[in-house]
Amino acid sequence: MDDLLAILKAAAETTRLRLLALCAHGELTVTELTQILGQSQPRVSRHLKLLCDAGLLDRFREGTFAFYRLAERGASADLARVLVAAIPADDPTLTLDLERLEAIKRSRSEAAASYFRDNAARWHEIRSLHVPEREVEEALLRLIPEEGVGELLDIGTGTGRMLEVLGPRSSRAVGIDQSREMLAIARTKLEDAALRHCHVRQADMYQLPFPSGSFDAAVVHQVLHFAEAPADLLAEAARVLKPGGRLLIVDFAPHGLESLRAEHAHRRLGFSDAEVAAWCRQAGLDCGPVVHLPGEPLTVSIWPAVRTGQGAPKQGKPSATPSILSTSGAQP
């Protein structure tokens, strides 16, 4: 009972209740929350700390930024959702807060559009060399049960496209990437798609910040060809999968387009089925039938694999991180 009273006490203040309501609508920084509330940053930070200490909010660090959102798990998280739902939808203070939140989201969208205008030529140059992304996405969906896969991890999420495509077939999905610019775009896209159970985090793909056996499925989409150590990346992906968990690897079959190495920072010019299968075996994964989608001149391959629970996947090790184009779904 004492714990419950402490949680209720943490929420029983006007500003903190407003913060809970705002963080239920997505991930927000202290600066953004300060702009919405019209209060000083130290004051907002104190309120946020109380809510985090009570387990009502989750806090995630991304470089020099910290993002806050409604807690996802535990008794405090359940109570947080109840408290937010109890706020009248026509409350004038909440209405104004949400209007200001929408203004911030519009600003994010404008920044994303500007980024893509500046980089569209680079995306389109590579996309013109292989089958349409729609065909790749449809092939991936055929490998995911319609009833869903539980918890999903997208390694190298980029603009979050894989979360948009596969997220609806998961109970919870997380995308990780090193690029803050890409993560900012991904957050906007996920908010626009109303995929509130999908989140993104800044993290190293060789040292995933999750316990072993955390996910039911994972996807590595157009990331492997940027990796300094592809085998280590797949071993780390296998580590965070539950026994029986699925891994979907999407990349190019071997090709000879040296321009991709010189102009787009591709470290590897595709991968053979035997090479990927060997890495999967080392990581304790069983490969299934490979899907090949021939294009002109690039062929996209999808290597599905299942975590067997055997073998000893090694912990990831630090390595050179991929460039901004190493992210999956890097497309408008």
Side-chain angles (χ1 to χ4, degrees):
M1 183 177 293
D2 289 343
D3 290 342
L4 177 60
L5 289 172
I7 295 170
L8 290 172
K9 183 178 180 181
E13 196 276 339
T14 303
T15 297
R16 293 198 285 274
L17 201 55
R18 291 168 68 188
L19 287 168
L20 286 178
L22 287 166
C23 291
H25 287 266
E27 298 176 343
L28 296 164
T29 66
V30 176
T31 299
E32 291 169 336
L33 290 167
T34 298
Q35 291 172 356
I36 294 170
L37 297 176
Q39 300 180 16
S40 70
Q41 184 163 325
R43 182 178 180 184
V44 172
S45 295
R46 285 195 298 272
H47 286 306
L48 288 169
K49 184 178 186 304
L50 286 170
L51 292 170
C52 289
D53 290 345
L56 294 167
L57 290 182
D58 287 336
R59 179 181 184 274
F60 298 94
R61 172 67 63 178
E62 188 173 293
T64 58
F65 287 79
F67 286 86
Y68 296 85
R69 67 172 297 112
L70 209 64
E72 290 186 309
R73 297 179 178 178
S76 296
D78 294 337
L79 182 55
R81 286 188 287 271
V82 170
L83 292 171
V84 170
I87 301 173
D90 59 353
D91 181 87
T93 300
L94 177 61
T95 299
L96 182 57
D97 284 349
L98 294 181
E99 288 175 359
R100 290 171 176 164
L101 175 60
E102 285 305 310
I104 285 175
K105 289 183 177 181
R106 284 194 299 271
S107 178
R108 288 180 184 173
S109 295
E110 290 167 3
S114 175
Y115 178 85
F116 276 123
R117 282 194 301 269
D118 294 341
N119 293 275
R122 305 185 76 186
W123 310 140
H124 292 156
E125 181 180 344
I126 295 178
R127 292 170 67 188
S128 68
L129 300 175
H130 59 80
V131 296
E133 289 293 337
R134 173 180 48 80
E135 293 186 30
V136 178
E137 293 166 3
E138 290 174 352
L140 282 170
L141 285 170
R142 288 193 290 271
L143 296 171
I144 297 290
E146 290 188 11
E147 62 271 20
V149 292
E151 301 209 3
L152 170 71
L153 175 65
D154 181 18
I155 300 172
T157 192
T159 62
R161 179 56 186 169
M162 287 296 101
L163 294 179
E164 289 183 271
V165 173
L166 304 179
R169 294 197 182 180
S170 69
S171 60
R172 174 178 175 266
V174 181
I176 67 100
D177 203 285
Q178 284 278 21
S179 168
R180 281 177 47 196
E181 293 84 357
M182 287 293 189
L183 292 175
I185 295 169
R187 286 191 177 94
T188 297
K189 283 177 165 284
L190 295 174
E191 288 171 357
D192 291 344
L195 292 171
R196 293 188 180 177
H197 68 295
C198 297
H199 320 306
V200 293
R201 301 283 175 265
Q202 187 178 43
D204 183 345
M205 63 186 181
Y206 295 101
Q207 294 181 310
L208 298 171
F210 309 109
S212 299
S214 298
F215 293 91
D216 300 288
V219 60
V220 181
H221 179 270
Q222 297 292 11
V223 172
L224 214 58
H225 56 252
F226 291 101
E228 292 282 346
D232 291 344
L233 169 56
L234 296 185
E236 181 68 351
R239 180 187 68 79
V240 299
L241 284 175
K242 300 174 183 177
R246 303 164 183 261
L247 177 63
L248 298 175
I249 307 161
V250 184
D251 220 292
F252 297 126
H255 62 85
L257 294 183
E258 286 290 342
S259 61
L260 294 184
R261 197 196 311 270
E263 299 172 17
H264 296 281
H266 287 210
R267 185 160 184 83
R268 292 287 305 273
L269 300 183
F271 303 91
S272 70
D273 294 348
E275 188 174 31
V276 175
W279 290 334
C280 286
R281 283 195 299 272
Q282 293 170 10
L285 297 161
D286 276 344
C287 271
V290 183
V291 177
H292 294 295
L293 302 171
E296 184 56 47
L298 298 177
T299 291
V300 175
S301 298
I302 303 176
W303 297 276
V306 175
R307 179 82 175 96
T308 63
Q310 301 174 353
K314 54 180 177 288
Q315 293 281 344
K317 64 181 181 181
S319 183
T321 55
S323 70
I324 196 168
L325 283 176
S326 70
T327 50
S328 71
Q331 54 188 295

